[in-house]
């Protein structure tokens, strides 16, 4: 939108018997501005006043003492006046120069009309002859200049409708302005629900994003392993190696607003688990051997279809189980247990102890005591004093706190005669 002022050019024609003189008071105007031109000659019996405004030698461009003229282009024009009196005499003024300066044609385009991101303003103003131009941007059309760069960027603090105005001014003060209305829109808010997984097991990633001001045009999943998906709501993916991966969800709406989010997915390779047997892999007939499975799993499934982490084993045989983790990983273990005939009598303990920690004769060992229950051990020194007692003996007396010498023991268990004997602590 161009705003122009009116410029007045005054011509004065002086005449004597053979010549006329023209005086001009404004010799420089902006293209497109209405220019007023006046004949101020004082000739008697003036009949016609004609103007040559483009220096083509023809006084046919305008007539009259006062005219309004807009020059056709930015250039330098030679203006001349011809006055004819009632007797047909013609009087001419001298040529006078009028410089018509070019006016900028202000224009710009915008991009990035999304809340939270910079909006770009790309200047497309043109002017004849590459005349220098200065600029003034008003991002909100409040009459206040916000920036004087040729191209600029601005991040709007909130969404809505805004009016942008660009004012362009040439080095001769010729001005033009361009106004454009834009709408800043809220982008989508990307979010996803992820879960850890196991190799070769499908993981389901749920799009929990919320919409902005425009519908989503494109949904892009990047799983962190070089693969992509364009599912809109739920993406299902299988990882074939154990590692940590960043899953990225990118949303592009119909207004070209973009938002993305990245979350970590842990891919496991197996389930950590182990088992223990309370009586080891061999136990006496009639006993109960407790198998206990521990580890990072959420379920266990035995080969006999039981699902408890602890299992009571009373018979020899082959046992196996499968555990499953929260990430879908599966692992299995198997073991074999055997039974031996239960003895009818307790075997005596070893004849001597050498409690030096070498794993040989370090404890008072009754080799078949674990075949019986409620075993009570009593140990006496040579004076007959009780130095040790245990109401549930498990082959764990090592004599560390006792001096070298002979010691008498008495072991009594349920359902079997007691056994007694002598052992020697050797240091």
């Amino acid at each position: 939108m161009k705003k122009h002022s009116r410029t007045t050019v005054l011509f004065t024609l002086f005449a004597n018997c053979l010549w006329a003189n023209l005086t001009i008071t404004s010799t420089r105007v902006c293209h497109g501005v209405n220019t007023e031109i006046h004949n101020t000659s004082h000739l008697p019996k003036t009949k016609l006043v004609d103007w040559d405004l483009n220096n083509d030698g023809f006084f046919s461009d305008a007539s009259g003492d006062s005219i309004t003229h807009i020059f056709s282009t930015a250039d330098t024009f030679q203006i001349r006046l011809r006055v004819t009196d009632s007797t047909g005499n013609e009087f001419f003024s001298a040529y006078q120069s009028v410089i018509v300066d070019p006016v900028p044609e202000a224009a710009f385009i915008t991009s990035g009309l999304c809340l939270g991101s910079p909006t770009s303003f790309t200047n497309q103003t043109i002017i004849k002859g590459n005349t220098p131009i200065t600029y003034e941007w008003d991002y909100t059309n409040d009459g206040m200049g916000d920036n004087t760069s040729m191209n600029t960027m601005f991040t709007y603090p909130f969404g809505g409708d805004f009016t942008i105005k660009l004012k362009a001014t040439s080095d001769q003060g010729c001005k033009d302005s361009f106004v454009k209305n834009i709408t800043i829109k809220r982008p989508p808010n990307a979010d996803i629900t992820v879960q850890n997984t196991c190799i070769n097991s499908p993981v389901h990633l749920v799009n929990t994003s919320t919409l902005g001001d425009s519908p989503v045009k494109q949904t892009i999943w990047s799983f962190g392993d070089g693969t992509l998906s364009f599912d809109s709501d739920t993406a299902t993916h299988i990882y074939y190696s154990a590692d940590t991966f960043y899953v990225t969800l990118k949303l592009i709406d119909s207004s070209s607003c973009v938002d993305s989010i990245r979350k970590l997915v842990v891919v496991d390779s197996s389930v950590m688990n182990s088992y223990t047997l309370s009586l080891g892999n061999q136990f006496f007939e009639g006993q109960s051997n407790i198998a206990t499975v521990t580890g990072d799993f959420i379920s266990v499934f035995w080969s006999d279809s039981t699902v408890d982490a602890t299992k009571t084993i009373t018979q020899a045989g082959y046992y196996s189980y499968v555990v499953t983790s929260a990430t879908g990983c599966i692992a299995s273990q198997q073991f074999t247990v055997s039974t031996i005939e239960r003895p009818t009598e307790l075997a005596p303990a070893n004849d001597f102890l050498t409690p030096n920690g070498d794993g040989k004769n370090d404890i008072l060992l009754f080799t078949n005591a674990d075949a019986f229950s409620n075993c009570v051990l009593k140990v006496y020194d040579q004076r007959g004093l009780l130095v040790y007692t245990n109401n549930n003996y498990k082959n764990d007396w090592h004599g560390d706190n006792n001096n070298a010498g002979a010691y008498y023991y008495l072991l009594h268990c349920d359902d079997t005669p007691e056994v007694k004997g002598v052992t020697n602590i050797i240091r």
Side-chain angles (χ1 to χ4, degrees):
M1 180 176 65
K2 301 178 180 178
K3 296 183 177 179
H4 306 301
S5 60
R6 303 180 69 185
T7 303
T8 300
V9 182
L10 301 178
F11 294 90
T12 303
L13 182 63
F14 297 93
N16 51 30
C17 50
L18 295 177
W19 56 273
N21 186 42
L22 176 65
T23 301
I24 184 169
T25 59
S26 180
T27 60
R28 197 156 198 159
V29 296
C30 293
H31 179 230
V33 174
N34 287 321
T35 302
E36 293 184 0
I37 307 173
H38 302 279
N39 169 29
T40 57
S41 304
H42 299 286
L43 292 175
K45 300 179 181 180
T46 298
K47 182 179 181 181
L48 298 174
V49 178
D50 301 307
W51 301 87
D52 178 5
L53 302 175
N54 56 10
N55 194 28
D56 63 357
F58 296 97
F59 292 87
S60 57
D61 299 323
S63 299
D65 285 323
S66 297
I67 64 172
T68 300
H69 182 66
I70 297 178
F71 291 95
S72 59
T73 186
D75 205 342
T76 299
F77 293 87
Q78 301 293 330
I79 298 176
R80 196 178 187 200
L81 172 65
R82 182 183 69 187
V83 178
T84 305
D85 65 14
S86 56
T87 62
N89 295 317
E90 295 179 340
F91 301 88
F92 299 89
S93 69
Y95 286 102
Q96 295 294 329
S97 296
V98 175
I99 300 174
V100 180
D101 290 305
V103 176
E105 295 181 28
F108 64 89
I109 58 174
T110 59
S111 61
L113 306 179
C114 302
L115 183 64
S117 300
T119 297
S120 298
F121 303 99
T122 303
N123 201 325
Q124 293 189 321
T125 301
I126 59 175
I127 192 171
K128 183 179 179 180
N130 296 320
T131 302
I133 305 173
T134 57
Y135 301 100
E136 181 180 275
W137 295 89
D138 183 354
Y139 300 137
T140 56
N141 200 27
D142 59 0
M144 304 292 293
D146 298 312
N147 194 283
T148 58
S149 301
M150 181 178 180
N151 301 303
T152 184
M153 302 175 72
F154 181 70
T155 301
Y156 285 90
F158 50 86
D161 297 327
F162 297 90
T163 300
I164 302 95
K165 182 177 182 180
L166 170 64
K167 183 188 295 183
T169 305
S170 73
D171 60 348
Q172 295 300 322
C174 298
K175 300 179 179 180
D176 188 31
S177 60
F178 182 76
V179 176
K180 185 174 184 178
N181 296 319
I182 64 170
T183 300
I184 300 297
K185 295 189 175 182
R186 293 182 301 111
N189 182 24
D191 198 9
I192 51 178
T193 299
V194 302
Q195 61 185 29
N196 294 332
T197 188
C198 189
I199 57 173
N200 303 318
S201 298
V203 59
H204 302 289
L205 308 168
V206 182
N207 181 354
T208 55
S209 306
T210 54
L211 295 177
D213 290 331
S214 302
V216 173
K217 180 177 64 175
Q218 190 172 22
T219 302
I220 305 172
W221 295 87
S222 175
F223 299 111
D225 60 354
T227 58
L228 301 175
S229 172
F230 301 94
D231 298 319
S232 59
D233 295 324
T234 301
T236 300
H237 188 65
I238 296 177
Y239 290 95
Y240 297 100
S241 62
D243 205 340
T244 55
F245 298 89
Y246 281 100
V247 175
T248 302
L249 173 63
K250 182 178 182 180
L251 302 177
I252 305 173
D253 67 16
S254 59
S255 298
S256 297
C257 294
V258 179
D259 192 36
S260 63
I261 190 170
R262 189 175 75 154
K263 288 190 176 181
L264 182 69
V265 172
V266 178
V267 181
D268 294 326
S269 60
S270 63
V271 187
M272 299 299 297
N273 75 98
S274 62
Y275 68 89
T276 58
L277 295 169
S278 61
L279 299 180
N281 287 85
Q282 188 178 67
F283 61 99
F284 293 103
E285 294 175 350
Q287 289 184 320
S288 295
N289 199 353
I290 307 301
T292 303
V293 182
T294 58
D296 185 18
F297 56 87
I298 60 172
S299 67
V300 58
F301 186 82
W302 290 90
S303 54
D304 62 357
S305 300
T306 57
V307 293
D308 294 326
T310 59
K311 184 174 186 62
T312 301
I313 298 175
T314 59
Q315 296 180 350
Y318 174 85
Y319 294 85
S320 66
Y321 64 85
V322 175
V323 291
T324 304
S325 71
T327 59
C329 288
I330 297 175
S332 63
Q333 295 264 30
Q334 54 277 328
F335 56 87
T336 301
V337 295
S338 61
T339 59
I340 56 177
E341 184 179 357
R342 184 180 179 185
T344 59
E345 295 181 353
L346 284 165
N350 42 317
D351 294 332
F352 60 91
L353 297 179
T354 56
N356 56 10
D358 65 355
K360 300 177 181 179
N361 296 307
D362 286 333
I363 59 174
L364 184 66
L365 176 65
F366 297 89
T367 57
N368 62 359
D370 53 359
F372 304 93
S373 59
N374 299 320
C375 293
V376 178
L377 173 69
K378 293 182 180 181
V379 181
Y380 301 88
D381 64 13
Q382 297 179 37
R383 296 170 297 174
L385 297 177
L386 182 66
V387 297
Y388 179 78
T389 184
N390 190 323
N391 291 331
N392 189 22
Y393 187 64
K394 298 296 183 183
N395 287 326
D396 51 7
W397 185 64
H398 42 67
D400 276 353
N401 298 323
N402 301 97
N403 296 322
Y407 290 85
Y408 301 92
Y409 62 81
L410 177 64
L411 179 65
H412 177 77
C413 301
D414 291 348
D415 303 325
T416 186
E418 67 182 9
V419 64
K420 55 186 175 181
V422 178
T423 190
N424 291 274
I425 298 177
I426 303 173
R427 296 187 181 281

